[in-house]
Amino acid sequence: MTNRNGAGSELEPSVGAGIMDRLDHMAEISESGDILTRRCYTREHRQINDLAGKWMREAGMAVREDPVGNMIGRYEGRKPNAPAIILGSHLDTVINAGRYDGSLGVLSAIDCVRSLNERGIRFDDAVEVACFADEEGVRFQSTYLGSRGMAGCFDQSLLNRKDSDGISLSEAMISFGLDPAHLKNAARDPSDVRCYLELHIEQGPVLEREQLPVCAVTAIAGASRMMVSMLGEAGHAGTVPMNTRQDALAAACECVLLVEDTAKRYDQAVGTVGQIAAFPGATNEIPGVASFSVDFRSSLDSVRQTAVSELQRDMSEIAERRDVDILIDKTHDADGATCSDWIIEQIEGAMTDLGHRPFRLASGAGHDAAAMASITDIGMIFVRCRGGISHSPEEAITREDAITGADLLLRTLERIGGAKN
Ligand code: GLV
Ligand code: MN
Ligand code: MN
C-alpha cells in the first residue's frame, strides 16, 4: 500500500486508519443492549448525531443539524458561499444490524475532510459531510426521510404515519427537537450543490468474487414497499369446518409465495416478505387477521411498476377466492437512479491511481444517493464486505479495505475538487 506521502505500508496512511475503532464506538450506541438497532428520531439517534458532530468539528468542519435531523458538516471552499461537493451516508440502522451499513460512508467522509484540513488543502468548492437521519425506513416504513428532506422531496403526508408504538412521525420529530413546520427548510437549492458522492459497503458478493476491494457504482435499483392485511374470520381451531373457514394467515401465505413467483417471472426483479404477523395469535385459534410487508425492487422502473400492479391484482384475487378482505397500504416508492458518467470516470481514474482494476457494479440495495439524484449528479463507491452479508450482525469488512475505500473516496474527491468537468 502507498500512503499519500508516497511512502510504503510501514507508515500509517493519511485516511481510514482510525475508522474501524470509530465504527466499534458507534456500534455501542444502540436501542438494545445486545444487538445493534438505531432507528431515526430516537434517543440513540440524538447520541449518534452528537458524536458525529463532535468528530466533524474536530476534522475542521462547521456543524449544524438541518430541519429533518441530518447532521451536516461544512468545510468551506476558497470562494465564499461556494457550491458544495456533498459526501455522505446514513447513521440509522435496521433492527439487529451490522456496524458498517451507512456508518462506514459517514466515517470515511469525515476522515477525508480531516485529511484535507490537516494538509491545508481547499478547493474552490466547499466540501460537506451529510449524516442522513433515516435511510433504512425501519421505524416509519418509508426510506430516505433524511436525504429526501435535503433533496426537497419529503412527503409531508408521512407525518401522520405511526411507528409500532403508536408514535407519529411528527411526534417523533418534535421529541427529537425538530419542528415539522420547518421541514421545507431542509431542502437544498440545487445550485448550491456541485455533486453527491457516497461510499457504502457492497452488501453483495461480487467484489469478493472479483478479488477487488472497491468499485464504482453505475445505478441504484428502485423499490416499492407495501403493508398488506388480510381480514378473515377468527374462530375455534377444533370446531370450524375446513370448507367454511376464512383463514387470514393461509391467504397471506399464498400471497407470500406469489411475491416470490412474481419476482422470478421477471429478469431483473427481486421480491421479499420480511415481516408477517397473525392475530389473535393462539395455537388453537384460526387467524382472523394477518399482516405482512412486501419489498419489491428492480433496476428497471417499468419492470417494478408492472410487476407491482400485477402483484396487487393477483393478491386481490387470492383474497376473493378465500373470502377474506384485503387492505394494501403502499408505504414507499422510489424510482431507481443512475450515477453520472463523469463521476464514474473520476472514481475509475482514482482506482487506477491506486493500482486497482476499474470495475463497475449496479446496486440492488437502496442508498441516499438515489434521493440526492433528484437535485444533483451522484456517484458511489462500493467497498467489499465478507460473504456479501449485510443487514445482519455478521456484516464484516477488513481494516485494509476500509482504508482503501477511504483513500479512494479522498482521491476521487481531490480529482473532482481540483478539476472542473
Ligand atoms: C436499504 O438498505 C435497503 O436497500 O433496504
Ligand atoms: Mn445503507
Ligand atoms: Mn441498509
Side-chain angles (χ1 to χ4, degrees):
M1 186 199 317
T2 303
N3 77 13
R4 301 196 65 72
N5 304 317
S9 59
E10 69 280 1
L11 292 176
E12 280 296 300
S14 79
V15 275
I19 284 181
M20 296 303 262
D21 287 345
R22 285 190 166 185
L23 284 161
D24 292 345
H25 188 148
M26 281 177 132
E28 284 165 20
I29 301 178
S30 171
E31 293 174 52
S32 163
D34 43 359
I35 59 170
L36 172 56
T37 301
R38 206 167 48 231
R39 296 168 306 151
C40 60
Y41 310 126
T42 55
R43 197 183 49 175
E44 291 69 27
H45 181 186
R46 167 59 54 221
Q47 288 171 9
I48 204 81
N49 266 11
D50 289 348
L51 183 61
K54 172 175 172 281
W55 286 340
M56 289 197 289
R57 258 180 232 104
E58 287 168 5
M61 287 176 263
V63 174
R64 70 186 174 95
E65 190 173 87
D66 77 2
V68 72
N70 301 318
M71 207 65 177
I72 300 169
R74 183 170 167 102
Y75 182 72
E76 288 297 344
R78 286 191 212 108
K79 292 188 278 185
N81 303 318
I85 301 167
I86 302 181
L87 313 179
S89 199
H90 58 100
L91 290 177
D92 67 316
T93 74
V94 294
I95 293 165
N96 197 15
R99 58 189 57 189
Y100 308 98
D101 178 354
S103 298
L104 180 68
V106 166
L107 291 179
S108 303
I110 295 173
D111 219 28
C112 286
V113 176
R114 181 194 56 75
S115 170
L116 294 179
N117 189 36
E118 282 178 5
R119 289 178 293 133
I121 295 174
R122 269 182 211 280
F123 309 130
D124 285 349
D125 296 319
V127 179
E128 292 191 15
V129 175
C131 312
F132 288 116
D134 168 89
E135 182 264 356
E136 302 288 5
V138 168
R139 187 167 179 193
F140 293 101
Q141 306 296 324
S142 185
T143 74
Y144 307 148
L145 292 179
S147 40
R148 281 187 164 173
M150 184 179 279
C153 46
F154 186 96
D155 178 358
Q156 299 276 337
S157 71
L158 294 174
L159 287 170
N160 295 323
R161 189 172 287 169
K162 291 193 165 64
D163 70 4
S164 53
D165 296 320
I167 299 167
S168 71
L169 173 54
S170 175
E171 289 163 345
M173 284 180 155
I174 290 167
S175 69
F176 190 72
L178 302 171
D179 181 349
H182 294 154
L183 267 173
K184 283 196 178 73
N185 299 335
R188 299 295 293 264
D189 183 333
S191 66
D192 290 336
V193 182
R194 170 110 191 274
C195 63
Y196 174 77
L197 199 54
E198 177 165 357
L199 176 147
H200 202 281
I201 54 168
E202 180 202 342
Q203 304 181 274
V206 179
L207 288 180
E208 216 172 47
R209 210 168 57 216
E210 293 287 329
Q211 299 188 316
L212 274 174
V214 283
C215 76
V217 177
T218 53
I220 300 162
S224 297
R225 292 184 184 177
M226 52 194 128
M227 286 303 297
V228 184
S229 295
M230 291 294 190
L231 312 173
E233 185 77 48
H236 195 293
T239 59
V240 182
M242 292 309 288
N243 59 356
T244 64
R245 292 187 181 201
Q246 292 167 278
D247 185 328
L249 182 58
C253 289
E254 264 201 62
C255 292
V256 173
L257 297 178
L258 177 70
V259 169
E260 196 179 43
D261 283 348
T262 308
K264 281 182 177 165
R265 264 193 286 118
Y266 289 92
D267 246 3
Q268 300 183 45
V270 286
T272 306
V273 174
Q275 291 176 313
I276 189 161
F279 307 94
T283 321
N284 57 353
E285 202 155 355
I286 300 163
V289 177
S291 299
F292 57 97
S293 61
V294 177
D295 179 307
F296 206 95
R297 308 187 190 208
S298 171
S299 50
L300 300 172
D301 289 333
S302 58
V303 165
R304 177 174 49 84
Q305 282 151 6
T306 308
V308 165
S309 62
E310 280 179 19
L311 188 59
Q312 286 176 274
R313 182 199 62 202
D314 295 347
M315 287 195 299
S316 298
E317 275 176 24
I318 290 172
E320 201 177 326
R321 177 164 42 78
R322 288 182 160 270
D323 199 18
V324 299
D325 288 330
I326 182 167
L327 289 178
I328 300 178
D329 180 14
K330 294 192 83 173
T331 51
H332 174 73
D333 249 312
D335 281 349
T338 306
C339 295
S340 296
D341 285 337
W342 71 268
I343 303 184
I344 295 174
E345 282 158 21
Q346 295 292 2
I347 294 169
E348 289 192 331
M351 284 182 74
T352 307
D353 293 345
L354 279 170
H356 299 296
R357 167 169 60 92
F359 188 73
R360 299 178 180 195
L361 202 52
S363 175
H367 298 291
D368 292 299
M372 291 299 285
S374 63
I375 56 162
T376 193
D377 289 352
I378 61 160
M380 283 195 74
I381 290 169
F382 272 168
V383 175
R384 169 170 59 191
C385 60
R386 189 183 64 198
I389 296 168
S390 170
H391 284 185
S392 150
E394 299 301 311
E395 224 172 60
I397 63 170
T398 64
R399 179 174 185 273
E400 209 174 31
D401 285 358
I403 290 169
T404 303
D407 206 5
L408 179 60
L409 184 65
L410 179 58
R411 283 173 194 253
T412 306
L413 174 64
E414 288 181 353
R415 280 169 158 260
I416 291 172
K420 303 284 180 198
N421 62 307

